[in-house]
Amino acid sequence: MIKWLLASILTLIELNCENLFDCTHDAGKLDAEWLPTGTYRWTPHRYYKKLNGIARVILSQTEDSELENKLPSLIILTEVENDSVMRDLTKRSLLRNAGYDYIMTNSPDARGIDVALMYDPLPTSL
């Protein structure tokens, strides 16, 4: 019963975003391969397509949940580039109406790869 009670309050998922970079250079970071002129020819169109793909994965978790139509309370995201990427994911992707907020690390990784935690502010303030 306690397990079900906790599951009804908080749900957690972890998602590797596999190099979620935006299309702009971050000073002091080795991210040139993710620019439109870089190795991956990373464009705004491809970037937003990836953001919405990640959003679809998160939104699909409601289908697998015992509690239908309940988005995850906590989402750990690995391999995200920066604050701009997280702002775009939470405010400009298919997740824009979900109400998520986030915190993230500022790692010493040369490329700028970080870890972020997206959270639903309502359940975590209980």
Side-chain angles (χ1 to χ4, degrees):
M1 177 158 163
I2 292 174
K3 181 179 176 183
W4 186 87
L5 180 60
L6 287 175
S8 68
I9 297 171
L10 294 175
T11 53
L12 169 72
I13 64 169
E14 185 273 338
L15 180 62
N16 183 332
C17 295
E18 298 179 6
N19 294 313
L20 180 57
F21 281 83
D22 59 20
C23 303
T24 57
H25 175 62
D26 282 352
K29 300 295 181 182
L30 301 176
D31 60 356
E33 62 189 352
W34 294 99
L35 300 177
T37 57
T39 308
Y40 296 111
R41 304 276 186 228
W42 201 237
T43 63
H45 174 76
R46 293 177 70 196
Y47 169 64
Y48 278 99
K49 185 176 179 181
K50 183 163 185 159
L51 282 176
N52 284 321
I54 291 167
R56 279 187 199 90
V57 169
I58 293 167
L59 292 169
S60 74
Q61 299 307 303
T62 61
E63 299 165 6
D64 297 332
S65 174
E66 293 176 9
L67 305 164
E68 287 187 38
N69 299 321
K70 182 171 179 359
L71 288 171
S73 308
L74 302 167
I75 304 163
I76 300 166
L77 301 165
T78 59
E79 294 191 27
V80 295
E81 180 187 18
N82 56 32
D83 184 66
S84 296
V85 167
M86 289 305 301
R87 185 180 58 249
D88 289 344
L89 183 61
T90 57
K91 307 299 182 207
R92 296 184 178 145
S93 76
L94 294 172
L95 290 174
R96 65 186 167 273
N97 295 322
Y100 283 114
D101 206 346
Y102 64 90
I103 55 174
M104 65 184 307
T105 63
N106 188 8
S107 77
D109 182 81
R111 295 183 307 148
I113 295 289
D114 292 313
V115 175
L117 174 68
M118 279 180 25
Y119 61 94
D120 178 354
L122 183 60
T124 55
S125 66
L126 293 177

